[in-house]
């Protein structure tokens, strides 16, 4: 969510195992405010992954954060029933007790974490997926949130990472001013990772200076950055597809604003930023501070199409894009999936869970990356049904208007 009472933005991504006939769909929960709208600028995607190593985990129990230094999140679980049946562990890389996933061989991975943090006072809060416990801000897969009051917030980060054999990733959180009022990582938090088999094309770049965000530092200069193939132009910040295919893209962008402002972020196809591309989000800051965007999803590209990250700020005459920002992309080996945008805004009229329905998978211009591969998605019900058992990458970007957050 975010500090404005007018809208909230949510980004969720992860990896889960689905059996034939199982389905996934997007749901929103209203605790007290039963009159809001899921805006049509929301997106949803799911693709089957060819993988031999990975996991999807849920935190086994609440974990206290008792100091203002980085705290590693531990004690996860990878099995469950009912709505938790998608949890899994494939291979032996994940130690659920320590919360560390160790690469058994050199490979490229998609990783994501969703942390629900209860904080008894205001402050700045951060979460990241770190390599070998290195919480250097330049290592990517990181997000921040600044809150004036106590409450519960969701922190989401995802991206592509290259690991050498023996290196590990884990989830970390930080609160700026814990003092006697400790924070709590809730058991509803999640952590996931999956190896990409035969990643002929992939990159993760750090340190942009941009508005179409550019340039990036060369991959050899920044911890966690890498490039396979020569298709990322570091000067322009654009990744060009060498051949047609289905790609996972993610961006984490941090903007320092000197005053109250509303920001928009988008991963755009062919320099055509579009709020209804399925890869769009909004965030705001009530006074001077940091605006954070987190975006991820699947997109279809033809040869020579390109993607890049874009931002737009309203309410402030100037702003700085932090060099802590990151951008990543990887070609996926898949035979089933989709990338969708909500076809029309949907009213939420009841307290509790509401399923989001009515998606579309075709478009033109900046929306031409929407796609449907196979017959698993029912756009009317918003449910994607697995036609074969396997591991799937799922992501959603939701904008909720009229919510009292």
């Amino acid at each position: 969510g975010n500090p404005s009472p007018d809208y909230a933005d949510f980004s969720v991504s992860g990896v889960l195992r689905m059996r034939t006939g199982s389905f996934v769909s997007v749901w929103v929960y209203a605790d007290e405010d039963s009159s809001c709208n899921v805006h049509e600028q929301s997106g949803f995607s799911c693709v089957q992954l060819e993988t031999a190593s990975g996991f999807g985990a849920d935190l086994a129990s609440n974990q206290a954060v008792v100091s203002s230094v980085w705290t590693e999140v531990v004690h996860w679980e990878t099995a469950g029933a009912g709505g938790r049946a998608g949890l899994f562990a494939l291979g032996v890389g994940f130690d659920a007790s320590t919360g560390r996933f160790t690469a058994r061989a050199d490979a490229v991975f998609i990783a994501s974490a969703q942390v629900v943090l209860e904080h008894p006072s205001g402050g700045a809060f951060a979460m990241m997926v770190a390599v070998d416990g290195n919480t250097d801000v330049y290592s990517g897969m990181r997000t921040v949130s600044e809150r004036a009051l106590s409450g519960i917030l969701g922190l989401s980060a995802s991206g592509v990472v290259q690991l050498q054999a023996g290196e590990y990733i884990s989830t970390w959180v930080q609160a700026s001013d814990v003092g006697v009022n400790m924070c709590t990582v809730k058991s509803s938090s999640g952590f996931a990772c999956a190896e990409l088999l035969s990643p002929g094309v992939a990159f993760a770049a750090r340190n942009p200076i941009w508005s179409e965000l550019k340039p990036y530092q060369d991959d050899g200069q920044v911890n966690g950055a890498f490039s396979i193939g020569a298709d990322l132009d570091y000067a322009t910040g654009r990744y060009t597809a060498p051949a047609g295919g289905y790609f996972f893209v993610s961006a984490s962008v941090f903007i320092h604003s000197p005053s109250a402002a509303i920001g928009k972020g988008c991963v755009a196809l062919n320099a055509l930023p579009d709020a209804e591309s399925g890869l769009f989000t909004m965030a705001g800051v009530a006074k001077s501070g940091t605006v954070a965007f987190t975006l991820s999803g699947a997109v279809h590209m033809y040869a020579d199409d390109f993607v890049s990250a874009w931002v737009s700020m309203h309410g402030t005459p100037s702003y700085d894009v932090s060099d802590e920002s990151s951008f990543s992309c990887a070609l996926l080996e898949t035979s089933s999936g989709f990338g969708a945008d909500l076809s029309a805004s949907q009213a939420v009229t009841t307290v509790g869970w509401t399923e989001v329905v009515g998606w579309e998978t075709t478009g033109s211009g900046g929306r031409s990356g929407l796609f449907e591969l196979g017959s698993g998605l029912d756009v009317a019900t918003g449910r994607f049904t697995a036609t074969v058992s396997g591991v799937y990458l799922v992501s959603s970007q939701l904008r909720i208007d009229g919510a009292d957050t």
Side-chain angles (χ1 to χ4, degrees):
N2 81 54
S4 168
D6 299 322
Y7 70 92
D9 61 280
F10 299 94
S11 177
V12 177
S13 64
V15 181
L16 54 82
R17 177 148 52 189
M18 296 174 64
R19 301 187 185 279
T20 303
S22 297
F23 67 87
V24 290
S25 56
V26 178
W27 294 70
V28 295
Y29 184 85
D31 186 12
E32 297 178 355
D33 188 346
S34 61
S35 179
C36 56
N37 289 286
V38 182
H39 199 279
E40 61 185 334
Q41 292 171 353
S42 301
F44 178 30
S45 68
C46 179
V47 289
Q48 183 184 5
L49 292 178
E50 296 295 333
T51 186
S53 177
F55 69 93
D58 176 67
L59 196 59
S61 60
N62 293 347
Q63 178 178 337
V65 178
V66 297
S67 75
S68 59
V69 301
W70 284 99
T71 298
E72 192 170 17
V73 184
V74 299
H75 299 304
W76 300 86
E77 51 191 8
T78 56
R84 303 175 67 247
L87 302 177
F88 74 99
L90 182 62
V92 294
F94 186 55
D95 185 326
S97 178
T98 64
R100 298 178 176 183
F101 175 81
T102 303
R104 300 299 173 180
D106 297 357
V108 174
F109 299 83
I110 288 177
S112 67
Q114 323 293 321
V115 166
V116 180
L117 189 68
E118 184 175 14
H119 52 101
S121 60
F125 307 92
M127 183 272 288
M128 72 179 301
V129 177
V131 179
D132 286 346
N134 183 354
T135 52
D136 183 330
V137 294
Y138 298 119
S139 63
M141 288 187 290
R142 177 179 181 269
T143 189
V144 298
S145 181
E146 297 176 355
R147 296 300 176 94
L149 302 173
S150 63
I152 297 177
L153 64 91
L155 298 168
S156 175
S158 62
V160 182
V161 61
Q162 186 177 47
L163 297 177
Q164 307 300 315
E167 290 184 325
Y168 70 87
I169 58 172
S170 56
T171 301
W172 295 72
V173 295
Q174 184 185 45
S176 62
D177 186 17
V178 174
V180 297
N181 299 317
M182 67 180 183
C183 299
T184 303
V185 180
K186 306 293 285 184
S187 61
S188 49
S189 302
F191 182 29
C193 178
E195 179 185 355
L196 296 179
L197 298 181
S198 303
V201 176
F203 78 88
R206 313 286 184 248
N207 288 29
I209 310 175
W210 62 46
S211 174
E212 179 184 6
L213 305 187
K214 58 186 178 183
Y216 291 92
Q217 285 193 2
D218 183 77
D219 58 309
Q221 300 179 29
V222 183
N223 180 39
F226 72 96
S227 181
I228 299 175
D231 306 298
L232 173 66
D233 187 325
Y234 287 92
T236 65
R238 295 177 174 183
Y239 170 78
T240 302
Y246 304 92
F247 296 79
F248 171 77
V249 295
S250 67
S252 295
V253 181
F254 306 99
I255 298 174
H256 300 312
S257 174
S259 60
I262 299 295
K264 300 177 182 179
C266 180
V267 174
L269 182 67
N270 297 330
L272 297 170
D274 193 311
E276 297 185 16
S277 65
L279 290 168
F280 170 87
T281 191
M282 293 178 64
V285 60
K287 56 182 181 178
S288 62
T290 300
V291 179
F293 299 117
T294 301
L295 287 159
S296 64
V299 62
H300 176 251
M301 291 196 286
Y302 293 100
D304 297 326
D305 283 345
F306 66 88
V307 287
S308 53
W310 292 70
V311 295
S312 175
M313 293 289 288
H314 301 271
T316 180
S318 63
Y319 57 91
D320 296 316
V321 178
S322 170
D323 59 7
E324 300 169 12
S325 303
S326 63
F327 182 34
S328 63
C329 179
L331 175 65
L332 303 174
E333 295 289 337
T334 187
S335 58
S336 176
F338 70 93
D341 174 68
L342 196 60
S343 59
S345 296
Q346 176 180 336
V348 176
T349 58
T350 60
V351 171
W353 287 103
T354 297
E355 191 171 16
V356 182
V357 301
W359 300 88
E360 53 190 6
T361 56
T362 59
S364 59
R367 302 177 68 247
S368 58
L370 301 176
F371 72 95
E372 185 174 2
L373 178 64
S375 57
L377 177 67
D378 184 325
V379 293
T381 65
R383 297 180 174 184
F384 174 80
T385 302
T387 54
V388 294
S389 298
V391 175
Y392 290 79
L393 171 66
V394 185
S395 63
S396 181
Q397 313 288 148
L398 290 184
R399 172 182 164 185
I400 311 296
D401 282 5
D404 184 5
T405 60

